[in-house]
Amino acid sequence: MRNRDSYAEPYRIKVIEPIRQKDRKTRELLIEQAHYNVFNLRAEDVYIDLLTDSGTSAMSANQWSGMMIGDESYAGCANFYNLQDALLEIIGYRYVVPTHQGRAAENILMTMFVSESQDVLGNMHFDTTEGHIKLRKANPVNLVIDEGMDPDIDHPFKGNINLERLEEELKKSDPSTIPLIIITTTSNTNGGQPVSMNNMRSASELAKKYNRPIFIDAARFAENCYFIKQRDERYKNKSIREIAREFFSYADGCTMSSKKDALVNIGGFLAFKDKEEWYERAVQIQICYEGFRTYGGLAGRDLEALARGLYEGTEEDYLEDRIGQVHYLGSNLIEAGVPIMKPIGGHGVFVDGQRFLPHIERANLPGQSLAIELYKEAGIRCIELGTCAFGYKDPKTGEEIYPPQELVRLAIPRRAYTDRHMDVIVNAFKAINERKENIKGLKMVYQAEIMRHFTARFEMIK
Ligand code: F0G
């Protein structure tokens, strides 16, 4: 990676969106009124919003001008064909089924392939993917390599699937119990960690050997391809699109939340490499849930922005700056003594909340406490991915079951913030570090049965 001092953002800013930092007293009041849940804050009360990198990208002049040639015909709009051409050129897939966002594409895929009691294998399924598998009373099985779960190991491809375990699972079951393999790129849940080309190729060979479909969750495929270029000597002279075409050639199809690497605010799709019969089946479901085959829940203008975003998201200089900015934030946090997941991932920095606040017991939610302190300190909003998000109460004993990690995710929106914003984040951490012994933790006073972190309420421990 080039030194970040030697280049600047590969764009200049033509349109701006004002953001304001409320004073500390106001922030303290607002977060109390929000029951210490950042999802309850109004966005206008947030200064730097790191809740997600999804749908939060700044679009380019080229994308906005594309929106003006949105063809809103019910059937056969020009923008659909532009999307088709983009996918054929960038990932080499012939059939595309547009959807309103990524989870809608998952819904169609799971409806096609998954039924009760089956096991869906993957490196690490994202929450909504798991949700769709469970809705069908099937089981999501995560087979990421062991290194992927250790925040301190500096492995270049911590999103890789464990191939021995994959083969074991495939070998022991009869074909009807495993309908699908899904490789998520990059792996969001363990820190935006990439999957290597070798791993994808080998997983594909196993899928062929045991005759199972293999799909890619392509939400952050361009960032994944950039890591392959950086970390695998054989690909250093290949373009991102050459790498993408090879990577996708190893799968039968993909789902994509285009709200990430396609640089749009809404949209998604399901795509198939070459199986026309799958495409026709998918369209039947798409028509019920999303819309006709050439718009699938999106306006023509959204399809155009998406097609153009796919090209921009796979530009070398854009990716260098994007990954470079996340790396800039991560390495400055490491220098400031903040414990983070290593190596630094593609779409954000994942802080180890428990190690940062070791005096707060797990039951008093150190990850959530850190997220709240960041808001109080500087108006920064981020998300806890620890006890509150992934823990749960044992239905039999009522006992709290803790997830392996207590992470806080600082997800960086694409092309939206500058390095000055990154500096403010680092300074906020430094200030919290100085007084962290006085932070007391929280207790959860309300929780819903599923996905409790979205609606939970908390109180500060006095
Ligand atoms: N797959 C991955 C890997 C994701 O990260 C997401 C969304 C989805 C699928 C679902 O896509 O939101 O368009 O329906 N991730 C967001 C996040 C919500 O904040 O990480 P969607």
Side-chain angles (χ1 to χ4, degrees), residues 9-13 15 56-64 260-264 305 308-315 317-319 321-322 325 412-418 421:
E9 286 80 357
Y11 51 84
R12 55 187 177 177
I13 297 164
V15 178
T56 51
S57 302
M59 292 210 297
S60 64
N62 177 45
Q63 284 175 294
W64 279 110
K260 284 83 168 171
D261 276 0
L263 299 165
V264 286
R308 293 181 184 208
L310 282 166
Y311 287 107
E312 291 180 19
T314 47
E315 291 287 347
D317 56 353
Y318 153 73
L319 281 165
D321 176 60
R322 157 71 177 159
Q325 184 175 59
I412 310 300
R414 296 168 181 78
R415 304 193 294 207
Y417 293 113
T418 69
H421 294 101

Side-chain angles (χ1 to χ4, degrees), residues 51-54 101-104 106 126 128-129 184 186 188 217 219-220 257-260 267 347 409:
L51 195 59
T52 180
D53 63 317
S54 180
Q101 58 183 74
R103 64 199 71 185
E106 290 167 0
F126 180 67
T128 55
T129 323
T184 301
T186 58
N188 182 358
D217 176 332
R220 300 180 181 85
S257 165
S258 41
K259 299 168 74 174
K260 284 83 168 171
H347 65 295
R409 184 181 77 170

